[in-house]
Protein backbone atom coordinates (compact mmCIF):
# COMPACT_ATOMS: atom_id res chain seq x y z
CA UNK A 1 0.00 0.00 0.00
CA UNK A 2 1.23 3.50 -0.87
CA UNK A 3 0.07 6.56 1.04
CA UNK A 4 -0.59 9.49 -1.25
CA UNK A 5 -2.31 12.77 -0.48
CA UNK A 6 -3.75 14.79 -3.35
CA UNK A 7 -2.16 18.13 -2.75
CA UNK A 8 0.42 20.51 -4.11
CA UNK A 9 4.00 19.80 -3.04
CA UNK A 10 6.72 22.40 -2.55
CA UNK A 11 10.18 21.35 -3.70
CA UNK A 12 11.41 21.79 -0.12
CA UNK A 13 8.85 19.18 0.99
CA UNK A 14 9.93 16.78 -1.76
CA UNK A 15 13.59 17.13 -0.74
CA UNK A 16 12.75 16.67 2.94
CA UNK A 17 10.62 13.59 2.25
CA UNK A 18 12.93 11.98 -0.32
CA UNK A 19 15.98 12.31 1.93
CA UNK A 20 14.04 11.50 5.12
CA UNK A 21 15.09 14.72 6.85
CA UNK A 22 13.83 16.26 10.06
CA UNK A 23 12.96 19.96 10.32
CA UNK A 24 16.35 20.55 11.93
CA UNK A 25 18.14 18.65 9.13
CA UNK A 26 16.29 20.76 6.59
CA UNK A 27 17.28 23.99 8.37
CA UNK A 28 20.93 22.92 8.24
CA UNK A 29 20.62 21.91 4.58
CA UNK A 30 19.06 25.29 3.74
CA UNK A 31 22.03 26.99 5.42
CA UNK A 32 24.37 25.11 3.08
CA UNK A 33 22.23 25.96 0.03
CA UNK A 34 22.70 29.63 0.94
CA UNK A 35 26.47 29.17 1.45
CA UNK A 36 27.44 26.70 -1.31
CA UNK A 37 31.08 27.78 -1.59
CA UNK A 38 31.91 27.99 2.12
CA UNK A 39 33.37 25.41 4.48
CA UNK A 40 31.58 25.64 7.84
CA UNK A 41 32.05 24.41 11.40
CA UNK A 42 29.12 23.00 13.32
CA UNK A 43 29.52 25.67 16.03
CA UNK A 44 29.10 28.43 13.47
CA UNK A 45 26.09 26.72 11.85
CA UNK A 46 24.40 26.20 15.23
CA UNK A 47 24.58 29.93 15.98
CA UNK A 48 23.36 31.01 12.56
CA UNK A 49 20.42 28.59 12.32
CA UNK A 50 19.60 28.89 16.03
CA UNK A 51 19.78 25.19 16.89
CA UNK A 52 21.62 23.33 19.64
CA UNK A 53 25.14 22.28 18.72
CA UNK A 54 24.33 18.59 19.27
CA UNK A 55 21.35 18.87 16.90
CA UNK A 56 23.53 20.43 14.20
CA UNK A 57 26.20 17.78 14.73
CA UNK A 58 23.60 15.02 14.20
CA UNK A 59 22.26 16.78 11.11
CA UNK A 60 25.64 17.29 9.42
CA UNK A 61 26.56 13.68 10.19
CA UNK A 62 23.32 12.49 8.58
CA UNK A 63 23.75 14.79 5.55
CA UNK A 64 27.36 13.65 5.15
CA UNK A 65 26.36 9.97 5.32
CA UNK A 66 23.72 10.59 2.63
CA UNK A 67 26.37 12.09 0.34
CA UNK A 68 25.02 15.64 0.51
CA UNK A 69 27.90 17.19 2.45
CA UNK A 70 31.64 16.78 2.12
CA UNK A 71 33.64 16.66 5.34
CA UNK A 72 37.23 17.76 5.82
CA UNK A 73 39.40 17.39 8.91
CA UNK A 74 41.30 20.36 10.32
CA UNK A 75 44.18 19.43 12.61
CA UNK A 76 44.51 21.79 15.57
CA UNK A 77 47.87 23.26 16.63
CA UNK A 78 47.57 21.98 20.21
CA UNK A 79 46.57 18.51 19.08
CA UNK A 80 43.21 17.11 18.14
CA UNK A 81 41.09 18.02 15.16
CA UNK A 82 37.78 19.48 14.09
CA UNK A 83 35.61 18.85 11.06
CA UNK A 84 34.38 21.39 8.54
CA UNK A 85 31.60 20.80 6.03
CA UNK A 86 30.64 21.97 2.56
CA UNK A 87 27.67 21.08 0.40
CA UNK A 88 28.31 18.87 -2.61
CA UNK A 89 27.49 19.92 -6.13
CA UNK A 90 23.77 20.70 -6.51
CA UNK A 91 23.69 18.54 -9.66
CA UNK A 92 24.83 15.50 -7.62
CA UNK A 93 22.19 16.16 -4.96
CA UNK A 94 19.53 16.54 -7.65
CA UNK A 95 20.58 13.18 -9.12
CA UNK A 96 20.33 11.54 -5.71
CA UNK A 97 16.84 12.94 -5.13
CA UNK A 98 15.68 12.08 -8.65
CA UNK A 99 16.83 8.49 -8.12
CA UNK A 100 14.72 8.24 -4.97
CA UNK A 101 11.69 9.86 -6.64
CA UNK A 102 12.06 7.57 -9.68
CA UNK A 103 12.04 4.48 -7.44
CA UNK A 104 8.94 5.81 -5.72
CA UNK A 105 7.24 6.46 -9.08
CA UNK A 106 8.12 2.94 -10.26
CA UNK A 107 6.59 1.51 -7.10
CA UNK A 108 3.40 3.52 -7.68
CA UNK A 109 3.29 2.25 -11.26
CA UNK A 110 3.72 -1.35 -10.09
CA UNK A 111 0.99 -0.95 -7.47
CA UNK A 112 -1.36 0.40 -10.14
CA UNK A 113 -0.51 -2.51 -12.47
CA UNK A 114 -1.21 -4.99 -9.66
CA UNK A 115 -4.49 -3.24 -8.93
Amino acid sequence: MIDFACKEFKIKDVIKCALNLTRADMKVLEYFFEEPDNWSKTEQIAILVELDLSTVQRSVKKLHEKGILTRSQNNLDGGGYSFIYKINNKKEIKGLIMGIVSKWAAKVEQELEDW
Side-chain angles (χ1 to χ4, degrees):
M1 175 161 74
I2 299 171
D3 293 330
F4 183 76
C6 294
K7 69 175 202 166
E8 203 173 292
F9 293 98
K10 295 179 183 174
I11 191 65
K12 178 180 167 181
D13 295 329
V14 173
I15 293 168
K16 185 178 172 192
C17 182
L19 298 174
N20 193 26
L21 303 179
T22 65
R23 273 183 268 147
D25 298 336
M26 198 62 203
K27 246 180 138 170
V28 171
L29 182 58
E30 288 172 329
Y31 163 82
F32 281 101
F33 281 144
E34 292 171 10
E35 302 288 339
D37 299 322
N38 296 338
W39 288 92
S40 301
K41 293 182 179 184
T42 52
E43 296 83 3
Q44 158 192 2
I45 299 165
I47 292 166
L48 293 171
V49 299
E50 299 177 339
L51 292 171
D52 288 337
L53 177 59
S54 61
T55 301
V56 172
Q57 289 169 331
R58 277 191 302 276
S59 291
V60 295
K61 181 179 184 219
K62 183 180 194 177
L63 294 168
H64 175 257
E65 289 172 349
K66 289 181 178 286
I68 296 165
L69 299 181
T70 297
R71 179 174 73 184
S72 180
Q73 181 175 315
N74 276 349
N75 294 322
L76 305 174
D77 292 336
Y81 60 89
S82 67
F83 290 120
I84 55 174
Y85 298 87
K86 181 179 177 186
I87 195 162
N88 287 331
N89 182 305
K90 208 171 192 177
K91 199 173 192 176
E92 291 174 30
I93 297 168
K94 179 183 173 185
L96 175 68
I97 294 167
M98 287 302 299
I100 293 166
V101 171
S102 294
K103 285 179 186 175
W104 179 80
K107 186 172 182 179
V108 169
E109 185 176 353
Q110 184 60 51
E111 289 289 327
L112 287 171
E113 287 296 320
D114 294 345
W115 180 63

